[in-house]
């Protein structure tokens, strides 16, 4: 394996590769992610990357999961569900705006991973604290994720977002009565 001069193979870690891939994706979108470009950015050959990731597809999955892990997840003890959900949706929307390639990638292939699963499970748990059944909480969480994706695609903050999110939250509250 070729590495930068004086750099032992073990000096490069998967996390460094993922962070460099995210930077490349943030700069140029999905089209910009190639093993050759990434290797060049890291000062190694494209072939050397395969010691750490199996394929470009796996690298995209790892990058997506890393990004899904960025929004903070609130502690579930003694929370007020409405402001918590509002904050989680806003954090998700902000993350999607910081990494617009993720929106495009999600239309091409499923990008499920442990961080996304953890995020959606957390949303579901917060919806359950509002008094929803597990099934209804799963549907509400899905609606909130879909809303955040739509709001990120629109990329225009304003009263429409507040009204839309408020309507979803009002629907959750009405379902618990």
């Amino acid at each position: 394996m070729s590495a930068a001069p004086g750099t032992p193979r073990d000096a490069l870690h998967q996390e460094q590769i993922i962070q460099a891939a995210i930077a490349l994706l943030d700069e140029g979108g999905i089209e910009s992610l190639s093993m050759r470009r990434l290797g060049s950015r890291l000062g190694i050959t494209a072939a050397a990357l395969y010691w750490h990731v199996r394929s470009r597809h796996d690298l995209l999955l790892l990058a997506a999961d890393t990004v899904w892990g960025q929004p903070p997840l609130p502690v579930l003890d003694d929370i007020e569900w409405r402001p918590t959900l509002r904050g989680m949706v806003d954090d998700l929307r902000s993350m999607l705006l910081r990494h617009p390639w993720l929106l495009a990638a999600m239309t091409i292939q499923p990008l499920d991973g442990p961080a996304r699963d953890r995020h959606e499970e957390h949303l579901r748990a917060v919806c359950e604290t509002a008094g929803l059944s597990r099934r209804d909480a799963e549907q509400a969480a899905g609606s909130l994720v879909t809303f955040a994706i739509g709001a990120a695609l629109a990329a225009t903050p304003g009263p429409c977002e507040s009204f839309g999110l408020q309507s979803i939250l009002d629907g959750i509250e009405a379902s618990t009565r």
Side-chain angles (χ1 to χ4, degrees), residues 163-177:
F163 177 79
L165 183 55
Q166 187 69 26
S167 296
I168 293 171
L169 297 176
D170 288 348
I172 291 171
E173 188 170 350
S175 294
T176 63
R177 293 184 195 156

Side-chain angles (χ1 to χ4, degrees), residues 4 7 10 29 37-38 48-49 54 58 67 69-70 74 81 87 89-90 108 128-129 132 139 147 164 171 176:
T7 305
D10 294 336
R37 267 193 206 118
L38 184 57
L49 288 170
R54 289 188 317 209
D58 285 351
V67 168
Q70 290 175 348
W81 68 268
V89 168
D90 188 50
I108 297 169
E128 284 180 349
T129 67
L132 294 177
Q139 291 178 351
F147 178 83
T176 63

Side-chain angles (χ1 to χ4, degrees), residues 72-150:
L73 297 177
V75 177
L76 295 175
D77 298 331
D78 298 321
I79 60 165
E80 292 183 43
W81 68 268
R82 246 182 135 90
T84 301
L85 288 176
R86 194 176 293 116
M88 289 181 75
V89 168
D90 188 50
D91 288 343
L92 179 55
R93 179 184 173 277
S94 296
M95 180 268 293
L96 291 167
L97 289 172
R98 279 191 311 278
H99 306 287
W101 57 269
L102 186 56
L103 290 167
M106 289 189 312
T107 65
I108 297 169
Q109 63 193 30
L111 294 173
D112 298 334
R116 181 175 180 168
D117 293 346
R118 200 168 33 258
H119 190 275
E120 290 183 4
E121 180 65 21
H122 223 74
L123 266 174
R124 184 201 51 77
V126 175
C127 289
E128 284 180 349
T129 67
L132 294 177
S133 68
R134 182 174 181 86
R135 188 178 132 252
D136 288 348
E138 286 172 358
Q139 291 178 351
S143 295
L144 290 164
V145 169
T146 300
F147 178 83
I149 290 169

